[in-house]
């Protein structure tokens, strides 16, 4: 039986070094863009909006996503009760608080995840289910993950590997029972920022996953859940590709801002 933590297992994947290099090079290209000298907050805000829309489109292993056009998301002030509006509303609420969630995540990942679930599920689930793990086993999953993040050994693991591991664990185990995909993607964004890969949260990694393909994304999560070396490598490779594509989208945002 493999007793290594999810982070350490993924760090041992044969493509871990390549994934880390791919992600770092892609994000560094964005971070060098000259528009960030004066417009970094604007690029971050646009990344978070696009990320929320894409995150809602991705859904999770147990719930279908909802794909709203970006300009409609930008324009609408009330999503109403349309199909999938709850998931998109939750994604936008989380996105709007990522800045305040960052220090909470650093101090207590479980508290940050509970807050995210409260934001996502308020008005959608019964009050006694909001912000709480779905049961004792789910609570153990969250505690174990939080302990792994605090393990000094995790500090030596590349940020993209840590983010991919936490993302997959939340996506596969679904500890809150609803909206876990939203939480998984928001948590991975916070990790990329907290661990220095993307401190300004520029890359639209969620959109990168959509570009790769929703079914391919979900299939890769299922591959990860097998625990095999091949399954872990498949997930990590896809995650690194999504970071690369998400960085490319952020570059396009920078260029659009420059053009006015």
């Amino acid at each position: 039986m493999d007793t290594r933590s999810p982070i350490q297992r993924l760090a041992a994947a044969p493509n871990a070094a390549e994934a880390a290099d791919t992600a770092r090079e892609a994000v560094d290209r964005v971070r060098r863009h000259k528009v960030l000298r004066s417009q970094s907050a604007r690029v971050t805000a646009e990344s978070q909006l696009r990320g929320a829309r894409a995150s809602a489109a991705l859904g999770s292993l147990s719930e279908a996503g909802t794909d709203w056009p970006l300009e409609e998301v930008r324009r609408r002030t009330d999503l109403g009760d349309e199909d999938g509006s709850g998931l998109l509303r939750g994604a936008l609420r989380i996105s709007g608080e990522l800045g305040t969630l960052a220090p909470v995540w650093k101090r207590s990942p479980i508290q940050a995840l509970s807050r995210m679930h409260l934001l996502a599920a308020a008005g959608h689930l019964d009050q006694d289910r909001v912000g709480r793990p779905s049961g004792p086993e789910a609570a153990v999953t969250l505690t174990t993950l939080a302990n792994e993040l605090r393990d000094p050994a995790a500090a030596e693991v590349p940020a993209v590997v840590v983010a991919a591991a936490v993302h997959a664990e939340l996506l596969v185990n679904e500890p809150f029972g609803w909206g876990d995909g939203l939480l998984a993607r928001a948590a991975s964004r916070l990790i990329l920022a907290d661990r220095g890969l993307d401190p300004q949260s520029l890359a639209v990694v969620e959109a990168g996953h959509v570009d790769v393909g929703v079914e391919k994304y979900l299939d890769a999560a299922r591959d990860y859940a097998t625990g095999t070396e091949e399954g872990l490598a498949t997930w990590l490779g896809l995650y690194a590709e999504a970071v690369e594509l998400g960085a490319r989208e952020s570059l396009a945002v920078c260029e659009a801002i420059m053009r006015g």
Side-chain angles (χ1 to χ4, degrees):
M1 181 179 178
D2 192 342
T3 59
R4 293 174 298 175
S5 73
I7 292 172
Q8 294 300 328
R9 285 201 304 271
L10 203 58
N15 58 340
E18 179 185 359
D21 289 344
T22 296
R24 170 66 67 185
E25 290 169 7
V27 175
D28 281 352
R29 281 194 292 273
V30 182
R31 294 179 65 189
R32 289 193 295 266
H33 200 286
K34 59 186 178 182
V35 81
L36 296 176
R37 297 171 193 164
S38 60
Q39 301 278 1
S40 63
R42 184 177 173 187
V43 177
T44 296
E46 181 67 15
S47 171
Q48 290 175 349
L49 176 68
R50 292 177 181 228
R53 187 210 70 82
S55 190
L58 289 164
S60 69
L61 293 176
S62 62
E63 56 198 334
T66 178
D67 192 2
W68 288 51
L70 176 62
E71 291 310 313
E72 186 170 358
V73 174
R74 198 190 304 279
R75 176 179 59 83
R76 293 278 291 269
T77 56
D78 181 8
L79 299 177
D81 296 321
E82 296 179 42
D83 188 36
S85 60
L87 201 62
L88 178 58
R89 188 179 294 110
L92 289 168
R93 286 173 179 166
I94 293 172
S95 175
E97 288 209 19
L98 283 173
T100 57
L101 283 166
V104 181
W105 177 269
K106 198 176 190 72
R107 182 176 66 252
S108 172
I110 293 177
Q111 185 179 347
L113 288 167
S114 295
R115 174 61 182 165
M116 287 183 210
H117 194 252
L118 178 65
L119 291 166
H124 187 82
L125 298 180
D126 293 339
Q127 190 171 356
D128 62 351
R129 292 181 56 197
V130 173
R132 297 179 175 88
S134 58
E137 187 175 338
V140 170
T141 295
L142 292 174
T143 300
T144 301
L145 199 58
N147 289 339
E148 289 166 3
L149 286 166
R150 284 193 291 267
D151 187 337
E156 305 302 318
V157 178
V160 70
V161 177
V162 177
V166 172
H167 185 150
E169 286 294 309
L170 293 171
L171 187 62
V172 167
N173 290 301
E174 299 189 319
F176 288 91
W178 185 88
D180 295 277
L182 302 181
L183 273 59
R185 292 179 286 273
S188 67
R189 184 183 269 262
L190 288 173
I191 290 167
L192 293 178
D194 178 55
R195 297 192 175 233
L197 178 66
D198 187 12
Q200 294 164 292
S201 202
L202 303 170
V204 195
V205 182
E206 306 89 345
H209 287 302
V210 172
D211 289 344
V212 169
V214 175
E215 286 308 313
K216 191 173 179 180
Y217 165 76
L218 297 175
D219 284 344
R222 296 184 185 99
D223 289 339
Y224 172 91
T226 66
T228 64
E229 182 178 276
E230 182 181 0
L232 296 174
T234 296
W235 169 256
L236 183 55
L238 179 139
Y239 188 85
E241 183 181 0
V243 173
E244 184 176 21
L245 292 171
R248 193 177 300 169
E249 177 148 345
S250 187
L251 272 176
V253 170
C254 291
E255 291 296 320
I257 290 173
M258 278 194 66
R259 291 193 300 270

